[in-house]
Amino acid sequence: MAEQRRPGANPPPFESPEFETDSGRTVTPREIPITPPANVLSAPPRPRVPPGQAPGGPARPPASPERRPIGPSPFLERRAPSPPSPEARRVISNLPTEQLPPVPGELRRSGSPVPGMDLASVPLEKRTAPPVPTLDLPSVIVDQRRTAPPVPTSELPPVSVEPRRPTSGVPVAERRMTGTMRRAAVGEGGGAAGSTGFWPPQPRTLADTGLTATMVEELVLKAIFFAGEMRGMDIANRLKLPSAIIDEVVEGLRRQKYIDIRGGGGSGVGKSTMIYQLTTFATDVLRQILDRNRYNGPAPVSLQEWIEVVKKQTVRGNRITRQRMEDKFGDLIIRDYIFDGIGPAMNSGRAIFFYGPPGNGKTAICQGMVNCFDGEIFIPHAILIDDFVVRIYDSILHKPIEDDEGTQPYDRRWVRCRRPLVVVGGELTLEMLDLVYSPEVKYYEAPFQMKATNGMLLIDDFGRQKVSPKDLLNRWIVPLESDVDMLTLHTGKKVQVPFDVFAAFSTNLEPSDLVDDAFLRRVRYKLEVQPPDEDLFHQIFEVMCRKRGVAYDADMVQYLIDTHYKPMGRRFAACQPRDLLDQVIDMAHYRGMPPQLEQDLIDSAVRSYFVRFDKESR
C-alpha cells in the first residue's frame, strides 16, 4: 500500500513505466531523468532540452518533413481531369477494382491501407483522395447518368397534412377513408361518434392548461380544506388535471409551508399516494381565497378556448336526410308533413316555432329531433371569465358517454356528452336567462341557453311564463339573428358569448296573440302540429299496446271511438292512447285481473280521464 504523506511534503519519486521508447516522440519518460527536489516551494527550474536531443545523450537527427503527394491540394483547388475517350471509358468501367493500373509509390499517401471498393459506385464529390495527375494513368470518371439529379425543394408538390384521428375503436374500413370521404359519409348520416372534429388534447404542462399557477394552487388548497386531507391522486381527480401537474403544484405549496405530508395512503409509492393536509401557515391565505371564490371542483377552461370549441362543434349546417330521421324517431308516429317541416330546420340549425292544440307530441318531436344530430360533443365543467368561475356542466341536463378501453386520452376538464336537450316551461323568467351569481359560493351558474350550447333548447308552453311574451321575445331577438348573446356580470360588465343553439318554441295558445312580425321574421320555420285522425289514432294505440305488453284489439279501440269520441264530439290527441292505456292497466291491477282491452275497463278509464270535460253532460 502506498505511503500517505501530509500536504506540503515532497512528492514521491516518479517511477518510469516499463515500455519501449516511442519513435514518434522527441522525448520519452525513460530518457528524462527524474531527480526529486529538496523543497517543492524552492525547486530549481527544469532545464529545457532542445528538440531532437535527449538529456545527457547525443543530438538526434531532425525528423524528416511529412511527404505530401505531388500535385495541387484538393482543399484549395479541385481540377477536373481531362475526359477520356469513349473507348477508354468503356474499358475502365468494365474493369474490377483490383485490375486497375497500380499507382507509383511516390504518389501514395502514408497511412493505414484503405480497403478496396468499387470506385464507380462512389460519387465524384464524395471522394477524399486528390486526383492523380499522371500522364500514363487514365482517369476514372463516374457516369453522371447513373444517379438522378436532385429535384429542387421549391419544385416539389405541396403535401397536405391532416391531423390524425384516433384509430382505436374505429373499423378498418373507416381508417382507410380520406378526410373528404369521411366528411361526405357524415353528411349522408353515416358519421361515427365523435365526428364533430374536436378532441381536447391532454395537457402535459401547466402552460397547456391556460391557467396560472396561482389559480391551480388556490384550487388545490380549497380541495384539501373542504376534504380535511387528500391524497395526491384524489386531488388530481378532483381538479381533472394530470398527476404530473398536480405534483408540481403540490411541491411548490410544500416549499411555501402551506401544506405538509401526513403519511402514505394505501399501497404504492410516489407523491400520488401521499396524504396532504393544510398547515397553520395557510390559514390567512385560505381565508382570503374563500372570501373571493368558494368554487371547489374541476379546473375551469378559458373563455376563449371554449368559444373556439363551440365553433368546431356547431349545430349549424347539418346534413340530415329523411331516412336518418325515420330511424332516430323510433316508434313515434310522425306524419310526412312534419318530417318535411322539421328536416330543413334542423339542417339550418335555426329556430322553429311549433303551434297547435295540446297533447299532440310537440315535446316528443323535439326529443326525437335532438337524436338526429350526429356526433358527440365535449362540454366543460366550468369556464373562466375575468377570474370568475362559471359552471356549465349539469349532471341533470347533460348525458355523459362512458369511455371504452381503447379511448384516446383527453383533457378531463371536458365531459364527453350527447348533444343536450334543455326544456324550460312556465317557470322561465328573464333573470334565468342571465348569469346567476350566488353570494354564498361566489361563483356563477350558466343560464339555460348557455348549457344548451351545441344542442337544442325548447321553450315549452310559450306564453304561459310569469314574464310577458313581448318581453321574452325581445330578449331572444338579438341572439336569434346574430348568434351572439350578451351576459352581464354582477360587477356590471357585459360579456359576449356564442349562441350556438337550435331553439324551438312551442305553444298551444293562439299565435296571433303572442308573437309579432319582428319575431316571425327571425324564426324562419313555423309548423302546425295537427291532431291525429281516426286511422292515426289506431296506429298510436297499437304502438302503445306493444310497449306496455298489452294485446292490441282493434275492435275495442273502435268501440272507444264510437262510444266516447264521436257522440261527444271530442277531438283526438296523440297523447290520449298512452294515457287511456295506462288507466286501463291501473284499473286491471286494482281488480286483480290481467291488463287487457275490454269494455268495462275502457269505460272506467274514460270516466276517470275525461271527467273535467264532461261537467255539462252530468
Side-chain angles (χ1 to χ4, degrees):
M1 182 175 181
E3 181 181 0
Q4 297 182 357
R5 296 178 180 271
R6 61 182 178 85
N10 297 333
F14 178 76
E15 297 181 359
S16 175
E18 298 296 334
F19 53 82
E20 296 297 331
T21 302
D22 188 2
S23 59
R25 296 173 56 91
T26 58
V27 180
T28 62
R30 181 182 293 278
E31 295 168 344
I32 301 177
I34 306 274
T35 303
N39 192 350
V40 176
L41 301 178
S42 61
R46 180 177 298 177
R48 299 182 61 183
V49 180
Q53 179 180 358
R60 310 179 78 186
S64 59
E66 182 182 0
R67 299 178 60 88
R68 295 182 179 276
I70 304 174
S73 174
F75 303 100
L76 301 178
E77 182 180 1
R78 183 181 299 274
R79 297 181 179 178
S82 58
S85 61
E87 294 78 6
R89 181 185 302 171
R90 184 173 57 257
V91 173
I92 295 302
S93 60
N94 293 331
L95 289 176
T97 306
E98 59 271 8
Q99 295 184 11
L100 293 175
V103 181
E106 61 272 10
L107 299 180
R108 299 178 181 176
R109 297 184 62 180
S110 58
S112 59
V114 181
M117 63 179 67
D118 188 6
L119 297 180
S121 62
V122 182
L124 183 61
E125 61 274 10
K126 295 295 184 178
R127 299 178 185 174
T128 58
V132 182
T134 58
L135 301 177
D136 299 331
L137 294 177
S139 301
V140 180
I141 301 178
V142 180
D143 190 3
Q144 298 295 336
R145 292 175 297 178
R146 297 181 182 179
T147 58
V151 181
T153 308
S154 59
E155 298 180 6
L156 293 176
V159 180
S160 60
V161 180
E162 296 185 358
R164 296 184 177 180
R165 294 182 59 200
T167 57
S168 58
V170 181
V172 179
E174 186 178 350
R175 296 180 191 175
R176 298 176 181 174
M177 298 171 61
T178 62
T180 305
M181 296 170 60
R182 189 174 293 109
R183 286 190 293 269
V186 172
E188 295 175 0
S195 58
T196 56
F198 171 71
W199 192 271
Q202 187 176 17
R204 299 182 180 274
T205 61
L206 185 61
D208 296 341
T209 62
L211 303 175
T212 62
T214 304
M215 171 63 70
V216 182
E217 289 177 351
E218 292 180 356
L219 291 174
V220 171
L221 291 176
K222 286 186 289 186
I224 299 177
F225 170 75
F226 286 109
E229 58 184 24
M230 294 185 72
R231 294 183 300 174
M233 63 178 66
D234 296 333
I235 299 176
N237 292 333
R238 164 68 68 175
L239 271 61
K240 305 298 181 182
L241 291 175
S243 298
I245 299 177
I246 296 300
D247 293 343
E248 179 182 355
V249 174
V250 167
E251 188 64 26
L253 292 175
R254 284 190 59 198
R255 289 194 295 266
Q256 300 177 53
K257 306 299 183 181
Y258 290 148
I259 63 175
D260 196 4
I261 298 178
R262 193 184 66 84
S267 60
V269 295
K271 299 179 181 179
S272 298
T273 59
M274 296 297 178
I275 300 177
Y276 299 96
Q277 62 182 4
L278 299 177
T279 63
T280 56
F281 294 97
T283 303
D284 296 337
V285 175
L286 191 60
R287 183 182 297 109
Q288 298 176 6
I289 294 174
L290 296 178
D291 289 342
R292 185 173 64 256
N293 184 1
R294 291 177 175 266
Y295 173 76
N296 179 30
V301 300
S302 63
L303 174 62
Q304 186 61 34
E305 183 180 359
W306 177 68
I307 293 176
E308 295 176 357
V309 172
V310 169
K311 295 179 181 179
K312 296 178 181 179
Q313 302 178 154
T314 179
V315 76
R316 318 290 188 203
N318 292 275
R319 298 295 182 269
I320 300 175
T321 61
R322 170 67 179 271
Q323 180 180 1
R324 180 175 182 81
M325 292 175 60
E326 292 177 352
D327 296 337
K328 293 299 181 179
F329 274 86
D331 296 334
L332 192 62
I333 306 298
I334 301 295
R335 291 183 178 181
D336 293 339
Y337 81 93
I338 295 180
F339 279 126
D340 297 338
I342 64 178
M346 285 191 294
N347 286 332
S348 68
R350 299 298 174 178
I352 187 172
F353 183 73
F354 293 103
Y355 62 96
N360 289 307
K362 293 185 291 295
T363 305
I365 292 174
C366 293
Q367 293 175 353
M369 290 171 63
V370 74
N371 296 330
C372 296
F373 292 110
D374 191 24
E376 60 200 28
I377 63 173
F378 284 88
I379 299 175
H381 283 277
I383 64 175
L384 196 63
I385 302 179
D386 289 349
D387 293 335
F388 293 105
V389 178
V390 180
R391 194 173 65 174
I392 294 182
Y393 175 74
D394 194 327
S395 59
I396 299 176
L397 301 178
H398 301 121
K399 299 179 181 179
I401 300 176
E402 297 182 0
D403 297 332
D404 300 330
E405 295 181 359
T407 303
Q408 182 183 4
Y410 60 91
D411 192 350
R412 294 294 174 176
R413 295 179 298 169
W414 300 82
V415 185
R416 286 176 63 201
C417 299
R418 305 186 185 277
R419 292 191 182 268
L421 171 63
V422 180
V423 182
V424 292
E427 74 280 2
L428 182 63
T429 60
L430 289 179
E431 290 76 12
M432 299 172 63
L433 299 179
D434 211 336
L435 292 172
V436 181
Y437 180 74
S438 176
E440 290 78 13
V441 295
K442 295 180 174 57
Y443 64 85
Y444 289 93
E445 188 76 21
F448 288 111
Q449 72 273 16
M450 199 171 178
K451 294 184 178 182
T453 301
N454 297 137
M456 187 172 180
L457 175 64
L458 172 61
I459 297 91
D460 203 4
D461 293 333
F462 180 69
R464 299 184 182 274
Q465 288 76 18
K466 297 180 181 178
V467 62
S468 65
K470 182 178 180 180
D471 295 338
L472 193 59
L473 291 178
N474 292 334
R475 176 63 178 83
W476 291 109
I477 283 180
V478 174
L480 291 176
E481 185 174 9
S482 60
D483 294 341
V484 172
D485 196 8
M486 301 300 296
L487 303 178
T488 306
L489 300 175
H490 73 284
T491 59
K493 181 179 178 180
K494 296 287 185 178
V495 180
Q496 180 175 314
V497 297
F499 186 79
D500 193 271
V501 177
F502 181 38
F505 299 86
S506 174
T507 183
N508 50 26
L509 303 177
E510 183 62 31
S512 59
D513 300 335
L514 300 176
V515 299
D516 54 4
D517 295 337
F519 176 77
L520 294 177
R521 180 173 60 85
R522 290 168 174 82
V523 180
R524 303 178 183 178
Y525 298 91
K526 300 90 177 174
L527 182 63
E528 181 183 5
V529 182
Q530 301 174 359
D533 55 10
E534 185 173 338
D535 294 337
L536 190 59
F537 189 84
H538 275 274
Q539 297 179 22
I540 298 175
F541 223 112
E542 183 179 2
V543 171
M544 290 296 105
C545 287
R546 184 169 61 251
K547 286 185 176 181
R548 300 296 191 269
V550 179
Y552 172 71
D553 191 347
D555 295 336
M556 288 292 100
V557 176
Q558 191 63 39
Y559 165 79
L560 171 65
I561 296 174
D562 296 339
T563 306
H564 299 283
Y565 275 87
K566 292 182 179 180
M568 305 297 178
R570 292 193 178 99
R571 301 183 62 181
F572 295 108
C575 65
Q576 292 172 358
R578 177 199 60 193
D579 298 340
L580 290 174
L581 185 59
D582 290 340
Q583 296 275 50
V584 169
I585 294 174
D586 295 338
M587 195 69 66
H589 288 163
Y590 171 75
R591 297 181 181 182
M593 55 184 301
Q596 57 185 350
L597 293 179
E598 61 175 20
Q599 294 184 6
D600 190 12
L601 294 177
I602 291 176
D603 295 339
S604 300
V606 168
R607 284 195 301 268
S608 176
Y609 187 74
F610 290 110
V611 62
R612 296 180 181 177
F613 305 98
D614 295 340
K615 291 182 179 180
E616 297 179 358
S617 61
R618 288 188 302 172

